[in-house]
């Protein structure tokens, strides 16, 4: 049995296959995922698991050099935005329109769907390197 922090086999596989500048997305239960993007569905019920819990778990194994967030998070979900900034204080953030974010999911290795039920709780993680 895997001993590390990320024990979900699909998430672990995707992270292990990522290289520099590759993208992985984590989001709320309502985010539409393009059919050609792998969806790892963790949603169990309303709020389970939460977006922040899944983000913190993924960050245990994925080196992230920058993130993309929807511009709308600033006004529609400032609590999640502040929590992301707390967790990743040194990570550069690019804000893009939500419609652009939805299109950019086609460039992600996978989308991890959480049970989060708050608006714009979506992030695109851009992989860095550990050397």
């Amino acid at each position: 049995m895997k001993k590390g922090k990320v024990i979900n086999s699909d998430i672990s596989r995707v992270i292990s296959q990522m290289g520099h500048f590759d993208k992985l997305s984590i989001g709320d239960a309502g985010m539409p995922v393009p059919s050609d993007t792998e969806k790892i569905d963790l949603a169990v019920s309303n709020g389970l698991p939460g977006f922040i819990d899944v983000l913190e778990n993924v960050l245990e194994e994925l080196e992230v050099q920058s993130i993309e967030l929807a511009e709308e998070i600033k006004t529609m979900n400032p609590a999640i935005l502040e929590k992301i900034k707390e967790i990743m204080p040194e990570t550069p953030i690019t804000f893009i329109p939500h419609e652009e974010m939805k299109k950019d999911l086609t460039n992600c290795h996978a989308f991890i769907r959480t049970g989060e039920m708050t608006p714009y709780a979506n992030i695109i993680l851009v992989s860095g390197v550990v050397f």
Side-chain angles (χ1 to χ4, degrees):
M1 181 174 192
K2 185 172 167 45
K3 189 176 178 183
K5 296 284 185 173
V6 177
I7 61 171
N8 179 284
S9 59
D10 290 323
I11 296 173
S12 184
R13 172 186 47 79
V14 168
I15 291 172
S16 69
Q17 293 174 346
M18 291 178 67
H20 195 203
F21 295 111
D22 285 344
K23 295 180 178 184
L24 174 64
S25 184
I26 303 169
D28 60 45
M31 185 67 146
V33 181
S35 60
D36 55 344
T37 300
E38 178 180 359
K39 179 168 60 173
I40 302 170
D41 195 347
L42 303 181
V44 175
S45 66
N46 188 339
L48 293 176
F51 170 81
I52 294 298
D53 293 326
V54 175
L55 175 61
E56 288 177 325
N57 182 255
V58 167
L59 292 175
E60 291 286 337
E61 291 194 20
L62 180 64
E63 182 67 29
V64 175
Q65 71 178 24
S66 64
I67 60 175
E68 297 174 14
L69 298 171
E71 184 74 34
E72 293 87 345
I73 196 172
K74 294 176 184 176
T75 57
M76 300 299 290
N77 203 340
I80 289 286
L81 175 58
E82 287 309 309
K83 190 66 176 167
I84 292 168
K85 288 179 177 180
E86 283 177 28
I87 295 168
M88 308 173 77
E90 304 298 319
T91 307
I93 301 171
T94 301
F95 291 96
I96 59 176
H98 185 63
E99 288 302 315
E100 186 178 326
M101 177 177 262
K102 290 191 289 189
K103 291 176 186 170
D104 201 21
L105 292 181
T106 61
N107 298 317
C108 292
H109 278 242
F111 177 85
I112 303 170
R113 180 178 181 249
T114 71
E116 187 69 40
M117 296 287 188
T118 63
Y120 303 101
N122 302 290
I123 191 168
I124 295 176
L125 306 168
V126 181
S127 182
V129 292
V130 294
F131 56 88

